[in-house]
Amino acid sequence: MTPTALVTGVTGQDGSYLAELLLADGHDVVGLVRPGSDRWVPDGVRLVEGDVRDPERLDVVIRDVAPDELYHLAAPTFVPASWEDPEGTLDAIAGATATVLMASREIGARVVVPASPEIFGDCGVWPQNEDSPRRPRSPYGVAKLAAHELVRVMRERYDLHASSVITYNHESPRRPARFVTRKVTRGAAAIALGREQELVLGDLDAIRDWSHARDVVRGMVLAARHDEPGDYVLASGQARTVRDLVDAAFGAAGIAPEGHVRVDESFVRPPEGTPTVGDATRARTVLGWEPETSFEELVGEMVKADLAALRDR
Ligand code: GDP
């Protein structure tokens, strides 16, 4: 029988790449989408409507689909927004994860839930691995930590095949423009085409560890297929600043950033004491995971896509 995968959040950046990968791999893919959500839906995905903040609906969908693998990607992703709605953030991230785990237990699905380096926050240690201290610095980080720990305690108590993948920043041409990578690649493309003059950013010295979303979702599948469930950092291990990102994007667009980039306090976040950089040694050794796309290739692909999209307008 053809194996079935259920992907919550299938229309998002990660959901769409993951669905493409699973379909190519011969799976039936069912995608849970929020009513009205219409971003990327790969051909061949069967869509089911539901909001992960509705536990009864989520439970019914999981039992009905009874997937072999369940990738629970539907969740808020923009960290600053969590300050506006801490309660809703906890519900949508930790509450929904609890529902997913309980329902999976009933049907025996393998589950993968993405965590975030925000669970480490200002832990004082870098690069972070699965055992680094936790010190979240936002409601988003607290919610992700609760979900991460739920995966662990439910796995231990009920012997679930449930894995938590601590995914560092991962990007693609499908990344929404409120995230810094896409904001920069779109801005560089618009400036190169003479459509805009200026790119307004926050802290240029902020450090992140950026990978391609396609590589990260491949890590999720490896985690689901491994004999033993576990926690895995998925990261490139390379520390880059927003300034490095600007240089790479403007370079790919064939222009110099000088005179085009302005810092505005409204985009500057509170100082971060610990660089967000991951150590994916466990994923490499246990899962055989390796990122295939370099930072330069990632930024180049994004700039190329933004140039093409803007030219078509
Ligand atoms: P995050 O790591 O999930 O918060 O992903 P983002 O892409 O939103 O932010 C990455 C880093 O870029 C953070 O440290 C931000 O402080 C920094 N940054 C600098 N300028 C900007 C900006 O204009 N927009 C965003 N979103 N981030 C910025």
Side-chain angles (χ1 to χ4, degrees), residues 199-227:
L199 175 60
V200 184
L201 294 170
D203 184 4
L204 299 181
D205 295 316
I207 293 176
R208 284 292 183 273
D209 173 331
W210 283 292
S211 305
H212 198 301
R214 226 177 3 236
D215 283 330
V216 167
V217 300
R218 191 164 38 76
M220 295 179 191
V221 174
L222 291 171
R225 309 269 163 92
H226 193 67
D227 290 346

Side-chain angles (χ1 to χ4, degrees), residues 193 265 304:
L193 295 174
E265 286 303 314
K304 196 169 157 207

Side-chain angles (χ1 to χ4, degrees), residues 78 169 178-180 183 201-203 206 208 242 269 272:
F78 195 50
N169 296 54
R178 61 183 181 277
F179 292 92
V180 74
K183 185 172 172 184
L201 294 170
D203 184 4
R208 284 292 183 273
V242 172
R269 300 184 192 175
E272 295 175 347

Side-chain angles (χ1 to χ4, degrees), residues 146-175:
H148 175 78
E149 292 292 319
L150 272 171
V151 170
R152 182 180 61 76
V153 297
M154 306 268 276
R155 172 173 72 217
E156 290 173 358
R157 171 85 184 237
Y158 300 128
D159 202 20
L160 301 186
H161 197 296
S163 295
S164 177
V165 287
I166 307 168
T167 57
Y168 281 62
N169 296 54
H170 47 288
E171 318 292 318
S172 75
R174 300 178 191 174
R175 190 71 146 147

Side-chain angles (χ1 to χ4, degrees), residues 251-280:
I255 50 172
E258 283 73 28
H260 291 297
V261 178
R262 180 164 64 83
V263 171
D264 187 293
E265 286 303 314
S266 64
F267 291 110
V268 176
R269 300 184 192 175
E272 295 175 347
T274 308
T276 301
V277 186
D279 171 359

